[in-house]
């Protein structure tokens, strides 16, 4: 579990510090203020690798570079099952690298990172960690599994014509033919990640989609009673399917590796998810965070899940209101103030609905209306506050408001009652 991050002279702000909650951590802030950057650093702190260095096809997950010529530092601490690890890393310009711990670092458990461009990365303590050979610790395993968006579906090649992962299409089809535990888990995970039992994602029959592709293609059963090839499914559904597959694959392979090594499976899992709402309809946005916090229960008992996620969605913020617990959860908000990026851990207050979240500190909007209507309402409010207004001015504004706003609009209601009072006073 990631506990603490602090950096100096790296990224968009001269300095940042975060004390993470042990369960849910939300990151909000305008475009370009450092949410993805923070997630990249969180991944690196736990795994010591930059995703794009392992897989150059990635457009996300690049190595963090110092902001100015001065010294740059990243400090982090995380707890593992047996110990807590803290480290201060400095940037060595000559080596173009961050200093690392000598010897075997602590083991943070499973770390999964879903990046905003659809890439995924996994660090598995059994498959990517150091191993002991002739009494010595050696680090010669695959450093992490880092998938470009296409590799999630088509497979991740290893060295010398090997495959590190078969990819969703082959694995899903294989699991479906085996009819074993993996298929059962996939179905369960898909169900948990679906927004409701009515809109539950369910595997359909295998099919073929091209004479030039010999793979049996999994399908998803659509509510209109049609099986759609997974590669033809909508972006939102593909995002959920990729997440579900990635979770099941990770867990199945982790268990296999644990068995081969004669060691127990881990109970600690950190999910780093950028733009958690990406491609999801509001109905799905409302259920994704609670679903991810509970999904590991379908795969294993006693999992301790830490979720660190960036969001631009007011619905995501509204969706966590019933479960947010300041003892174990945290909300970090990035703002641009006096020409600086500032990060704050904010107290979580309930706002009730998504529209109220939009005008909260999380998103800093003046209103949730169109810009044009927001200006019109500001003009109307300003007109009402003037000590003297003519009847003609009021009537003109009234017409504009009636044309622009819906008949049940809250502002129109207030406007009418104030105008009525004014008329009576005349
Ligand atoms: N690898 C890096 N090294 C140094 N600085 C970086 C790196 N990546 C990003 N930054 C800095 O962080 C800033 C914010 O980028 P980031 O992608 O984290 O924004 P974001 O908050 O995720 O925005 P969006 O909401 O648009 O995704 C960049 O403008 C840049 O200053
Ligand atoms: Mg981002």
């Amino acid at each position: 579990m990631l506990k603490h991050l602090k950096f100096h002279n790296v990224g968009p702000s001269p300095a940042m510090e975060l004390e993470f909650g042990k369960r849910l951590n939300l990151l909000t802030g305008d475009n370009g203020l450092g949410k993805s950057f923070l997630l990249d650093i969180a991944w690196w702190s736990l795994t010591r690798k930059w995703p794009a260095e392992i897989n150059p096809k990635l457009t996300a997950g690049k190595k963090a570079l110092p902001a100015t010529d001065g010294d740059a530092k990243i400090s982090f601490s995380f707890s593992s099952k047996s110990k807590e690890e803290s480290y201060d890393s400095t940037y060595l310009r000559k080596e173009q690298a961050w200093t690392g711990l000598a010897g075997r670092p602590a083991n943070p458990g499973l770390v999964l990172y879903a990046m905003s461009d659809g890439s995924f990365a996994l660090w598995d303590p059994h498959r990517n960690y150091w191993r002991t050979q002739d009494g010595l610790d050696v680090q010669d395993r695959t450093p992490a599994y880092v998938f470009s968006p296409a590799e999630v579906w088509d497979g991740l090649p290893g060295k010398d014509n090997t495959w590190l992962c078969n990819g969703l299409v082959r694995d899903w089809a294989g699991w479906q033919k085996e009819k074993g535990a993996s298929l059962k888990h996939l179905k369960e995970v898909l169900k948990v990640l679906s927004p409701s039992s009515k809109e539950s994602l369910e595997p359909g029959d295998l099919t073929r989609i091209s004479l030039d592709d010999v793979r049996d293609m999994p399908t998803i059963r659509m509510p209109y009673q049609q099986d759609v090839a997974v590669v033809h499914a909508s972006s939102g559904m593909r995002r959920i399917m990729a997440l579900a597959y990635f979770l099941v694959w990770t867990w199945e392979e982790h268990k296999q590796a644990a068995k081969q090594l004669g060691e127990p499976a881990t109970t600690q899992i950190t999910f780093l998810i950028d733009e958690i709402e990406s491609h999801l309809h509001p109905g799905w946005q409302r259920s994704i965070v609670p679903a991810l916090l509970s999904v590991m229960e379908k795969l294993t008992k006693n999992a301790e899940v830490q979720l660190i996620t960036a969001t631009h969605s007011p619905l995501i913020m509204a969706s966590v209101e019933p479960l947010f617990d300041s003892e174990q959860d945290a909300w970090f908000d990035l703002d641009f103030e006096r020409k600086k990026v500032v990060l704050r851990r904010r107290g979580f207050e309930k706002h009730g609905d998504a529209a109220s979240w939009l005008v909260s500190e999380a998103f800093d909007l003046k209103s949730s209306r169109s810009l044009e209507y927001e200006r019109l309402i500001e003009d109307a409010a300003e007109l009402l506050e003037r000590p003297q207004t003519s009847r003609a001015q009021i009537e003109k504004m009234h017409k504009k408001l009636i044309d622009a706003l819906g008949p049940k609009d809250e502002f129109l209601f207030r406007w009418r009652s104030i105008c009525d009072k004014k008329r009576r006073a005349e």
Side-chain angles (χ1 to χ4, degrees), residues 30-37 39 116 274-275 310 312:
D30 207 340
N31 292 113
L33 297 190
K35 300 176 299 299
S36 303
F37 173 75
L39 289 172
S116 59
D274 203 358
E275 305 202 7
H312 284 297

Side-chain angles (χ1 to χ4, degrees), residues 279-296:
H279 304 302
L280 299 183
H281 178 273
W284 294 59
Q285 290 186 22
R286 284 203 301 190
S287 55
I288 190 72
V289 171
L292 279 168
L293 286 176
S294 68
V295 71
M296 289 308 293

Side-chain angles (χ1 to χ4, degrees), residues 86-199:
S86 299
Y87 186 66
D88 294 336
S89 177
T90 47
Y91 191 68
L92 302 176
R93 282 173 201 273
K94 288 216 171 80
E95 294 175 27
Q96 299 276 292
W98 292 90
T99 55
L101 269 185
R104 198 180 178 94
N107 163 359
L110 278 166
V111 187
L112 288 90
Y113 186 11
M115 286 162 262
S116 59
D117 65 349
S119 347
F120 280 93
L122 163 70
W123 190 89
D124 178 334
H126 288 334
R127 292 184 288 155
N128 306 120
Y129 197 44
W130 297 47
R131 67 189 175 91
T132 310
Q133 187 179 25
D134 303 330
L136 289 175
D137 288 336
V138 286
Q139 188 191 15
D140 61 356
R141 292 206 168 113
T142 304
Y145 298 91
V146 182
F147 300 73
S148 68
E151 286 162 345
V152 177
W153 297 79
D154 298 327
L156 182 64
K159 281 190 205 140
D160 307 326
N161 294 326
T162 56
W163 287 94
L164 295 171
C165 170
N166 289 324
L168 183 152
V169 171
R170 285 196 193 89
D171 270 340
W172 180 322
W175 296 343
Q176 207 155 330
K177 285 181 211 162
E178 278 164 27
K179 297 191 177 81
S182 306
L183 178 67
K184 178 172 158 263
H185 287 149
L186 179 69
K187 283 182 174 172
E188 284 175 343
V189 168
L190 280 170
K191 201 166 164 189
V192 174
L193 298 183
S194 300
S196 67
S197 51
K198 268 198 229 146
E199 285 175 273

